Amino acid sequence: MSTTLSSLGQIALHVADADASERFYRDALGLPFLFRSGNLVFFDCAGVRLMLQGGPAPRSPGNTVCLYFKVPAIEPAMDELSDLGVEFEGAPQLIARMPDHELWMGFFRDPDGYLLALMEERR
């Protein structure tokens, strides 16, 4: 396998109140604030993004956290993992256009139902 998953690019954590969590992680813990989009709040943890997703608790515990693995090119990585039996929830998705790159993701689940993702920061 030429795609090696070793670097986390982002960790998502479900929170009940995005405003309260933003203040806690920014003001109490001192994490560098990156940006906010609606109920999604992003912080920098030494190069790994922490995404807090505010709102009602998901129905499935497998949707309370998500690990995002960085890959240089999402399509070939998804093809390789699919060949090894990983079932993706759909085609790669353009998530956001940033000033200097596009953020692409592809989602899948582990055997316990936890959400995982591949992420490419396409420049």
Side-chain angles (χ1 to χ4, degrees):
M1 182 169 120
S2 63
T3 299
T4 302
L5 301 183
S6 63
S7 177
L8 285 176
Q10 180 169 293
I11 298 171
L13 182 64
H14 181 269
V15 297
D17 183 331
D19 296 326
S21 292
E22 178 180 347
R23 288 188 299 273
F24 175 79
Y25 282 86
R26 182 191 61 222
D27 301 338
L29 298 185
L31 293 181
F33 174 80
L34 293 173
F35 62 95
R36 181 167 180 166
S37 177
N39 277 333
L40 303 177
V41 185
F42 296 84
F43 293 92
D44 179 40
C45 297
V48 176
R49 278 193 310 258
L50 171 63
M51 180 185 84
L52 305 178
Q53 181 176 1
R59 293 178 187 246
S60 166
N63 291 328
T64 59
V65 66
C66 183
L67 303 179
Y68 298 79
F69 292 94
K70 285 185 175 181
V71 294
I74 197 163
E75 288 88 354
M78 287 178 71
D79 289 344
E80 279 190 51
L81 293 174
S82 292
D83 289 345
L84 294 170
V86 174
E87 294 182 24
F88 285 87
E89 295 187 347
Q93 302 172 35
L94 173 61
I95 302 298
R97 285 188 167 87
M98 308 296 212
D100 64 339
H101 69 279
E102 294 179 342
L103 180 60
W104 287 80
M105 294 185 181
F107 295 92
F108 60 103
R109 294 190 182 269
D110 77 359
D112 290 308
Y114 285 100
L115 189 62
L116 304 171
L118 299 182
M119 64 179 280
E120 174 192 351
E121 293 177 335
R122 190 174 293 172
R123 302 199 187 274

